[in-house]
Amino acid sequence: MHRPKFKSHAVLSAIALAAVLTTGCSTDTPATTDAAASTASESPGPAAAQEQLAVVSAPSGAATPTAVADGDGGGGAKKSSLKVASYDRKTGRAVITSRTPTKPTARPSAPPSTTAPADPSAGASASASAGASASAGAPSGPSAQPPVAVGDIIASAPAPGAPDGVLAKVTDVVGAAGNGGTAVETEPAKLNSVLGASKAEGEVPVDPSSVDVKPLVNGVKVSWAKTGDLHFGPEGAKLPLGSLRLDVGAAIATAEGAPASAAASVEGFVQLAPEVAFSYDGSADADGSDASGTTAGAAGSATADSTADSAGKGTSPDGAFLGLSGDWASKWSLKGRAAGSTDGQPIRIPFAELHSDPVIQVGPIPVVVNLDLTCYIQVNADGKVTVDVEQDLKGDFRVGGSFSWAKGWTPVSESDMTGEPLKTKVTAAGDVKAALGAEATVGLYGTVGVTADLAPYVRAHADASAEGSADGTGSASGAYALYGGVDLTGTLNFQLTIFGTPVFQTKIPLGALHHEWLLTEGRATTSPPPTKSG
């Protein structure tokens, strides 16, 4: 029983204490030493705190480190001097190089004995025997092992043949390659195989100077500003730091039968300061339960991923988020009588494509984010109304996908924008809606995770009535209203399973966000009815 044991220990402790007091503290007997070691090993230590990883911008170029997680499950990923010299996504073949071409052995040589032998001849014999044994069995220096082993996980910034970065598990070490590299076979890995049980959260601005801009129409001008290197927009407009600005002026289809004076066009600029939002929480238990012991079901139309991840943990994270956020500003005008929609669909004119592969540093791990944006003009009109309107719009947005064991994958779709009219002139009756928007895709290591379409717009609606008399004279009057608004749509894609979360079978809509506000209203000018000739 427990109580007699407790008393027995108390008696033994008293005897041990008396012995210490009698003999002094300078000498530890084997019994007391063993007892102390046993007590220390049985005492539970404090629970290990979950490691919090910083989320920051990674150093650019060759300074961006590579991370490697050992395939033996000996811990999380660590910074490494390894580099991916080349990579073939189709075959998974890669060449790995290292500043240190050999991998040290795990077993160091035994230290020399410092105990003098009692018999010199016996000592010489034993020394010779030990030397022979050491020369035959123990390596004299680092063994010529490859820099990586089967099962290792490699996370790398963009590399030759891998513009979207590399996140892969080594499945076979082929052998030596040129320039001192090692050829390996790989297969795709998942983020939880390198992030493990850690936690990370942060938003990293996208360097506007790193964005590749491809104009699709004539007249597109690009301006940007970042710390230490300031570029000015058209007419000397100074940009906020971190901003990318695109100015565009484009003619659009004019309604059939419209006079030359009603030629339609859109002109203005859109200004973005995008940030990548990333979070990860690896605190889920191996059985798929969170820290409170709650086990998740098939939430968010997800089915459990039955395969273990690349590190052999077989565990999905407790939470994850990937998204895009930032500030938005635009000032643009719509003039003329735009053509009606094509086959019932708005007329969309892409005017620039933007691409960037920002690398965010999550602790020691370089996480490569793939960002694509297509900026466009979209017009939906009935071909009846002629307008000359201008809007100044400012605000922010946040789109992405959020995962938790309680809810599965859920969309995030937010926008807070306001606008004011700078010019308003509406002629005749009809409807027109024009947007200056951007379609964005955000992914990791070459896989698309979130697609979003952010479309701030201006809409004009006019009603008119006419009165006539017998002599053919008459008058016409009408009312108009000018609205500003924003539409935000998109989807989550199944490739977000790169986090190591359960897969979902279909794309999940972000959920349409529609917000509209009145800019101004007034009386429309209309042409009088034609006068009858005598």
Side-chain angles (χ1 to χ4, degrees), residues 9-206:
H9 283 302
V11 172
L12 290 174
S13 299
I15 295 173
L17 178 61
V20 170
L21 292 175
T22 303
T23 60
C25 299
S26 60
T27 302
D28 286 332
T29 64
T32 56
T33 304
D34 293 345
S38 175
T39 302
S41 64
E42 290 176 2
S43 301
Q50 187 179 11
E51 185 180 8
Q52 180 76 39
L53 302 179
V55 178
V56 297
S57 297
S60 59
T64 304
T66 300
V68 176
D70 290 338
D72 58 9
K78 298 178 177 62
K79 283 186 180 180
S80 170
S81 61
L82 300 180
K83 293 294 180 183
V84 179
S86 65
Y87 182 74
D88 188 332
R89 182 175 291 274
K90 291 182 179 180
T91 64
R93 175 68 68 94
V95 174
I96 309 298
T97 60
S98 174
R99 296 174 190 168
T100 306
T102 57
K103 193 173 183 179
T105 73
R107 275 177 47 184
S109 301
S113 173
T114 57
T115 303
D119 187 340
S121 61
S125 174
S127 177
S129 174
S133 174
S135 62
S140 58
S143 62
Q145 295 181 5
V148 292
V150 172
D152 286 355
I153 313 295
I154 300 172
S156 167
D164 301 321
V166 176
L167 180 62
K169 172 184 175 181
V170 177
T171 58
D172 185 29
V173 178
V174 179
N179 299 323
T182 301
V184 296
E185 300 285 351
T186 69
E187 66 181 17
K190 295 179 181 179
L191 263 178
N192 60 330
S193 64
V194 288
L195 291 173
S198 61
K199 190 172 185 178
E201 182 175 4
E203 294 188 358
V204 177
V206 178

Side-chain angles (χ1 to χ4, degrees), residues 134-492:
S135 62
S140 58
S143 62
Q145 295 181 5
V148 292
V150 172
D152 286 355
I153 313 295
I154 300 172
S156 167
D164 301 321
V166 176
L167 180 62
K169 172 184 175 181
V170 177
T171 58
D172 185 29
V173 178
V174 179
N179 299 323
T182 301
V184 296
E185 300 285 351
T186 69
E187 66 181 17
K190 295 179 181 179
L191 263 178
N192 60 330
S193 64
V194 288
L195 291 173
S198 61
K199 190 172 185 178
E201 182 175 4
E203 294 188 358
V204 177
V206 178
D207 180 359
S209 66
S210 70
V211 179
D212 208 12
V213 181
K214 178 183 177 183
L216 302 179
V217 299
N218 293 329
V220 174
K221 299 178 181 178
V222 182
S223 312
W224 49 263
K226 74 172 205 176
T227 303
D229 196 350
L230 184 64
H231 285 214
F232 291 86
E235 300 178 2
K238 187 176 180 179
L239 304 181
L241 293 178
S243 294
L244 175 70
R245 170 169 162 161
L246 299 174
D247 285 73
V248 62
I252 57 178
T254 303
E256 186 177 352
S261 59
S265 64
V266 171
E267 183 178 1
F269 72 84
V270 57
Q271 184 174 295
L272 287 166
E275 295 184 342
V276 174
F278 178 92
S279 70
Y280 174 88
D281 183 357
S283 61
D285 295 334
D287 61 353
S289 61
D290 58 20
S292 63
T294 303
T295 300
S301 67
T303 58
D305 186 356
S306 60
T307 59
D309 65 24
S310 299
K313 298 181 179 65
T315 288
S316 292
D318 194 55
F321 180 85
L322 175 65
L324 183 69
S325 63
D327 294 329
W328 173 288
S330 59
K331 183 186 293 185
W332 54 290
S333 63
L334 172 66
K335 298 180 181 180
R337 188 184 303 179
S341 57
T342 304
D343 297 327
Q345 297 296 321
I347 298 173
R348 178 175 287 206
I349 306 172
F351 63 85
E353 292 179 348
L354 295 78
H355 177 80
S356 181
D357 294 302
V359 181
I360 59 178
Q361 194 75 28
V362 182
I365 302 153
V367 176
V368 184
V369 181
N370 313 121
L371 177 61
D372 287 278
L373 294 100
T374 300
C375 294
Y376 64 83
I377 300 162
Q378 181 170 292
V379 179
N380 192 0
D382 59 12
K384 299 176 183 177
V385 63
T386 303
V387 298
D388 186 355
V389 296
E390 186 175 356
Q391 178 187 207
D392 188 1
L393 184 74
K394 293 180 180 178
D396 55 38
F397 65 93
R398 181 179 175 88
V399 295
S402 179
F403 174 81
S404 71
W405 271 107
K407 298 181 180 179
W409 277 105
T410 55
V412 174
S413 179
E414 303 169 0
S415 179
D416 182 14
M417 295 193 182
T418 57
E420 60 183 41
L422 301 178
K423 185 189 299 183
T424 306
K425 182 179 180 182
V426 181
T427 304
D431 293 279
V432 61
K433 177 181 177 181
L436 187 65
E439 184 176 9
T441 61
V442 186
L444 298 173
Y445 299 102
T447 63
V448 177
V450 181
T451 300
D453 195 338
L454 180 66
Y457 66 83
V458 61
R459 181 175 72 87
H461 170 74
D463 291 312
S465 60
E467 297 179 357
S469 60
D471 61 3
T473 62
S475 64
S477 63
Y480 72 84
L482 186 67
Y483 300 90
V486 59
D487 288 326
L488 180 56
T489 57
T491 57
L492 302 183

